[in-house]
Amino acid sequence: MMLLSHATAAATPLPWQPRRPHSQTPCRTLRPLPGWALLRACGVCGSRATMPSETLWEIAKAEVEKKGINGSEGDGVEIGEKSVFFIGSKNAGKTTIILRCLDRDEPPKPTLALEYTYGRRAKGHNTPKDIAHFWELGGGTSLLDLISIPITSDTLRIFSLVLVLDLSKPNDLWPTMENLLQATKSHVDKVIMKLGKTNSKAVSEMRQKIWNNMQKDHPDREIIDPFPVPLVIIGSKYDIFQDFESEKRKVICKTLRFVAHYYGASLMFTSKSEALLLKIRGVINQLAFGIDKSKSICVDQNKPLFITAGLDSFSQIGSPPVPENDIGKLDAHSPMELWKKVYEKLFPPKSTNMLKDIKDPARDPQYAESEVDEMRIQKDQELEQYKRNSSKSWKQIELDS
């Protein structure tokens, strides 16, 4: 029941005070009691009063909308907010890169499903700190359904994608890259379509921002198909990759350069080397906090690649590394498909059974714990025994009836 406190002075008019009919003059003596809803009629005279009907959440929402999507602190300086999503090969070093960017000196742990952390960075002295949200998808390609969680219509405009590929496992490289990029692009396209129905201006601004990475007079501007959100491709474990045969390194480098340039992405290689990690940190900080983009470039296959989006070209990359006589024999319907066939000819993907990731993380050897696993086996056996006993009991009841 709703409650109301009536002011004492108006509860009983004194004899010399003129009475005001409540039906003509609204009662102004209504006041709410803390913690209670408002009664819409005066408890003494019965007159009705109009009371605020907003809930606490509605009031809070209105305040946020006033301040804008980024909010403000202190002197009204806007707080920047970005989201960076790390996907890629299993055990490729995604967590290590994130910890390095956040200056956290702690050993990386295996990523369970989808993990989140954040970082803050001050723009200058005595100013609000920008916020960067870091998401990381574990399990390689086994948990693609979780991609939809960090990518929403609210985060899309501040979103960037980082694809980390294990260079030491070239046979898994193309399937991992293809599956993750296709799944992510499919979901992003759906979110863009949904956002376009309510905010077409925001969608146009996003597309324009992506194309700004490519110079207007770039010869490949009409050929490429930029990824719908900023994309960075990182090849990890370069220290192992550099010992590969020259021909293998050439194919991997040229293929990744083609894919990165086609999607309007940046491409770089890294390892445990402090110098390379510092370069990667600079690139991630650019995505997370808007720091100036590096203009350096290295396309030498004998060195770690470092190519910022828009600085490469198909003429510099060259044709797929395969004899010209064999190109015509490859049944490809697009440049991307042609490069895929050339790459898989040298690095055939593993069989479907071997490539299929374990859907249940509890059965993944990566997360094995002997005591927990032994108890799980025991409980599974007890459950099966219980099911068998229950089945026998029901059958006995049916026979008796």
Side-chain angles (χ1 to χ4, degrees), residues 145-308:
D145 293 341
L146 299 181
I147 286 175
S148 61
I149 294 176
I151 308 176
T152 67
S153 54
D154 294 327
T155 63
L156 193 61
R157 283 170 283 181
I158 59 172
F159 201 86
S160 299
L161 186 69
V162 178
L163 173 65
V164 183
L165 300 171
D166 188 344
L167 295 176
S168 68
K169 299 178 180 178
N171 297 82
D172 294 340
L173 191 148
W174 188 281
T176 300
M177 175 176 65
E178 184 177 49
N179 290 334
L180 287 170
L181 289 182
Q182 284 182 355
T184 306
K185 188 176 185 300
S186 175
H187 179 69
V188 170
D189 288 341
K190 291 178 183 177
V191 176
I192 288 177
M193 187 178 297
K194 180 181 178 182
L195 180 63
K197 294 178 181 178
T198 57
N199 194 344
S200 58
K201 182 180 178 181
V203 173
S204 299
E205 290 175 352
M206 281 180 55
R207 288 172 176 162
Q208 184 59 43
K209 185 178 178 181
I210 293 296
W211 278 104
N212 286 344
N213 290 328
M214 183 72 67
Q215 297 177 1
K216 292 184 178 180
D217 58 348
H218 196 288
D220 302 330
R221 192 175 176 86
E222 302 299 324
I223 307 173
I224 66 170
D225 182 19
F227 207 76
V229 295
L231 172 64
V232 172
I233 300 176
I234 298 176
S236 66
K237 302 186 180 180
Y238 176 78
D239 50 332
I240 300 175
F241 170 79
Q242 66 182 347
D243 294 330
F244 284 8
E245 296 176 7
S246 176
E247 188 60 29
K248 291 184 177 181
R249 283 189 283 111
K250 177 182 178 182
V251 172
I252 295 173
C253 288
K254 294 188 69 171
T255 301
L256 288 178
R257 284 180 64 187
F258 172 83
V259 173
H261 186 57
Y262 182 81
Y263 283 129
S266 297
L267 171 66
M268 51 215 59
F269 290 172
T270 188
S271 67
K272 296 178 181 179
S273 164
E274 186 65 21
L276 293 178
L277 284 173
L278 282 174
K279 282 189 173 183
I280 297 298
R281 179 185 177 187
V283 173
I284 303 303
N285 281 339
Q286 190 276 323
L287 297 176
F289 301 108
I291 297 173
D292 292 341
K293 188 182 299 185
S294 172
K295 296 295 183 181
S296 62
I297 183 171
C298 177
V299 296
D300 187 351
Q301 70 181 45
N302 296 313
K303 297 178 181 179
L305 296 183
F306 190 95
I307 309 169
T308 306

Side-chain angles (χ1 to χ4, degrees), residues 320-335 337-345:
V322 64
E324 294 184 6
N325 297 334
D326 294 342
I327 291 182
K329 300 176 183 178
L330 298 174
D331 185 18
H333 302 284
S334 67
E337 190 176 354
L338 175 62
W339 278 87
K340 176 183 178 180
K341 288 183 178 295
V342 171
Y343 183 87
E344 291 184 342
K345 187 175 181 180

